Every structure is written in C-alpha cells, then in structure tokens.
Amino acid sequence: KDESALYTKNQLNNLIAQAMGGRIAEFLQFSDVSVGAENDIRQATEIARRMVTDWGMSSKLGFIAYNNENDMFEQRRGGKSIQFSESITAEIDNEVRDIINANYTKALNILQENKQKLDEMAKLLMERETIYAYEVDEIMNGKTYTEVLEDIEKIEAEKKRNQTFNLLVNKVKEINKQKLVKIDGINTMFNAGIITTEQKEECIKAIEEASAKDTALVKDECVKSEIDYQEVLNAIDNPELLKINPALNKLESSSTSEKIDEDAEKVSEDVELVSEDANKNDNTNDTDNSTDD
C-alpha cells in the first residue's frame, strides 16, 4: 500500500463489504445495532461516492468525473465550477446507494451462510481474547472452537516442553563447560608447581562430585518433565536436534504473528488509505495545475 494507489473496482467493492462486516454481524447476533459502525459507514460511503464521481466506475454515469473540487480547468473558466442538473445529482446519489446496498447484501449473505463459523469464532475470542490467523483458518476449514482450543493447548504444551528441553540442554552444556574450566585451572596450577599431585587429585575429585550433583538435578528435572536425558545429551552433540517450537512457526507464517484483531484493523486502514491516496493525487494535480498556469 505504500508503493501504489492503484485499486481495482473489485478491490474497492470488497473493501466496502468488509467495512460492513461488524455492523451486519452485530445485527445478526443481537437483532439490534449500535453507533460503533459510524466510521465504517463513513468510509464505505466515501469510497462508493468516489467510485461514481472520480473514478468512472458507474455503468450508468460512465467515464465522466463529476467532482469539480480539483478541476484543472476551473481557473480558466474564471473560477466557476460546472453545475450539474438535479437529475444528475440524484443519479449520483442513487448509484452510490446501489453500490452500498449491493455490497451490504453481499456481506450479509456471506455472514448468513457462515453463521456457524461466525459463532465459533466469537466463542473462541471470548475464551482467548485474541486469536491468530492460523486459528481463524482452522475455523474457516470447519473446526469447532473446542477443537481449535484443543489444538492450541497441544501447541502450548509442546511449546512448554520444548522450552524446558532447550533449558535443560543449556544447563548440561554449562555444567560441562564449568567442569572443564575448573579442571583446566587445576592442571595449570599443578603444572606451575603451585599444588601437589595429591592436591590436584583431591580438587579434581571435588569438581567431579559437584558436577555429578548438578547433573543429577538435571536428570530429576528430565523425569518430572517426561524428557529423556539421553535425548538432551544427543542435542548437545547435534544442535540440529534442539526443539523448535511449532507454535512459533505457525505464528511467524501467519502474517508475522499478527493477531486477528490487527487483521480487522487493517480493513479499516485500507479503507482510509483509498481516500488518502486519492486526496494525495488530487493535491498533486493542484500543484501541477498551478505550475502550468
């Protein structure tokens, strides 16, 4: 959206339909509506009106610009803008209304046909407060919210196990590292004649015993977490065996961990962007026209 202000007619219609989703869902669920859709209605109306008056997307009114606000020929006409007849003005209003109504009907049909999915998604949101795109995909593919919750619990359990596994691997690596550092220090002192052979053996024995105690604690944690200690040792020798969290993989692949509520906000942002881009183009035209004059 930062690179182009080029939108197709289908894209604009879809943005209008998406903007109406919240209002329609509200009506389907409660048989009543609130003032919460004010901004959506305003944005949808703005897009529809510009489709008719600025972008020549009306089959009835054709390839004509009916918006005089930034007319490049206005100054050459002495500052007077073209006045359209009441019938044209009414036709514009009718075309805007038709676009709005057609997209309202499209959005209504989609939500009515998928009412069960809408309900399942609402239940999941009530349970989780925020949900990720891949969880929405599961609902759209026919899973119930309880099934999705079960999947989430499995993923979170696997995530917790993987985190514990990686933590244990790091603990064992640190134990081994400290053991080698201490033994190396003892050998250095022995080679320098600072300690005797007997003292060296006693120190190394103490280091081995301390390391064994720390290792035993790690093994106890493995038992509690139902993790095979040998699997931990294998991961130290082969880092590729470190556990990768599948939940994070899914989240990273679902729009860089965007939550579904952020996706909903994007619809509103896209709707606003259409008007912003069009206004930028109009301002650019004004500057160019002044230069030409």
Side-chain angles (χ1 to χ4, degrees):
K1 67 182 183 179
D2 295 329
E3 297 176 359
S4 174
L6 184 64
Y7 294 86
T8 68
K9 184 176 180 180
N10 285 335
Q11 287 175 322
L12 294 170
N13 277 316
N14 286 338
L15 283 175
I16 293 172
Q18 287 173 324
M20 296 174 177
R23 161 58 67 86
I24 296 172
E26 186 178 48
F27 177 77
L28 289 177
Q29 189 67 28
F30 305 112
S31 299
D32 197 5
V33 294
S34 69
V35 298
E38 176 184 0
N39 194 46
D40 294 330
I41 295 172
R42 192 181 305 278
Q43 291 170 341
T45 304
E46 172 69 9
I47 292 175
R49 182 165 293 279
R50 300 206 70 163
M51 287 173 70
V52 174
T53 61
D54 291 359
W55 300 323
M57 293 181 178
S58 165
S59 57
K60 293 183 180 179
L61 294 174
F63 194 67
I64 300 175
Y66 290 95
N67 187 351
N68 301 326
E69 293 179 2
N70 301 297
D71 193 333
M72 62 184 295
F73 299 110
E74 185 173 344
Q75 290 187 2
R76 298 179 185 179
R77 293 194 298 269
K80 296 180 180 180
S81 61
I82 297 176
Q83 299 298 320
F84 299 108
S85 65
E86 291 184 3
S87 62
I88 291 294
T89 302
E91 193 67 40
I92 291 173
D93 290 338
N94 289 335
E95 282 289 271
V96 171
R97 187 179 296 106
D98 287 346
I99 291 173
I100 294 292
N101 289 342
N103 285 295
Y104 184 96
T105 300
K106 177 168 68 174
L108 176 62
N109 290 338
I110 290 172
L111 288 176
Q112 283 178 327
E113 292 170 2
N114 295 275
K115 182 63 164 59
Q116 183 177 355
K117 293 177 181 177
L118 178 65
D119 292 339
E120 295 296 330
M121 199 175 300
K123 291 175 185 176
L124 186 60
L125 281 167
M126 291 294 290
E127 187 75 24
R128 301 285 298 180
E129 292 188 8
T130 55
I131 56 179
Y132 293 99
Y134 80 91
E135 295 163 355
V136 175
D137 290 341
E138 289 190 322
I139 289 178
M140 295 305 293
N141 289 329
K143 285 192 175 183
T144 65
Y145 91 100
T146 53
E147 291 173 328
V148 175
L149 280 177
E150 290 174 359
D151 290 343
I152 293 173
E153 289 172 359
K154 290 178 182 177
I155 289 174
E156 290 183 344
E158 184 66 19
K159 174 184 176 181
K160 184 177 180 180
R161 185 184 186 279
N162 291 350
Q163 289 174 336
T164 302
F165 180 88
N166 293 339
L167 179 63
L168 293 173
V169 169
N170 289 331
K171 281 186 176 182
V172 174
K173 289 169 68 174
E174 185 63 23
I175 291 170
N176 293 339
K177 176 182 176 182
Q178 292 299 323
K179 175 183 173 181
L180 293 175
V181 168
K182 290 177 181 178
I183 291 177
D184 187 57
I186 295 299
N187 287 329
T188 300
M189 294 173 67
F190 174 76
N191 293 333
I194 299 174
I195 60 176
T196 65
T197 301
E198 184 178 346
Q199 289 174 323
K200 171 187 172 183
E201 291 176 353
E202 289 178 357
C203 289
I204 290 178
K205 181 180 178 181
I207 292 170
E208 294 281 4
E209 289 176 352
S211 178
K213 287 181 180 180
D214 291 338
T215 301
L217 292 176
V218 172
K219 289 181 178 180
D220 288 341
E221 290 185 52
C222 286
V223 173
K224 293 177 183 178
S225 304
E226 298 182 348
I227 293 174
D228 186 355
Y229 180 67
Q230 186 59 47
E231 191 179 355
V232 173
L233 295 180
N234 293 340
I236 294 175
D237 296 331
N238 185 2
E240 292 183 0
L241 297 178
L242 282 174
K243 299 296 184 180
I244 305 300
N245 178 15
L248 293 181
N249 287 344
K250 286 189 175 182
L251 299 186
E252 289 171 358
S253 64
S254 68
S255 305
T256 59
S257 302
E258 288 185 347
K259 298 180 181 63
I260 190 60
D261 52 350
E262 294 171 347
D263 291 338
E265 289 177 6
K266 185 180 182 300
V267 172
S268 179
E269 292 173 1
D270 285 345
V271 171
E272 291 177 343
L273 188 69
V274 174
S275 296
E276 291 174 4
D277 287 340
N279 288 333
K280 288 178 182 178
N281 291 340
D282 290 342
N283 292 336
T284 302
N285 289 337
D286 284 346
T287 304
D288 292 342
N289 296 339
S290 298
T291 304
D292 291 340
D293 291 341

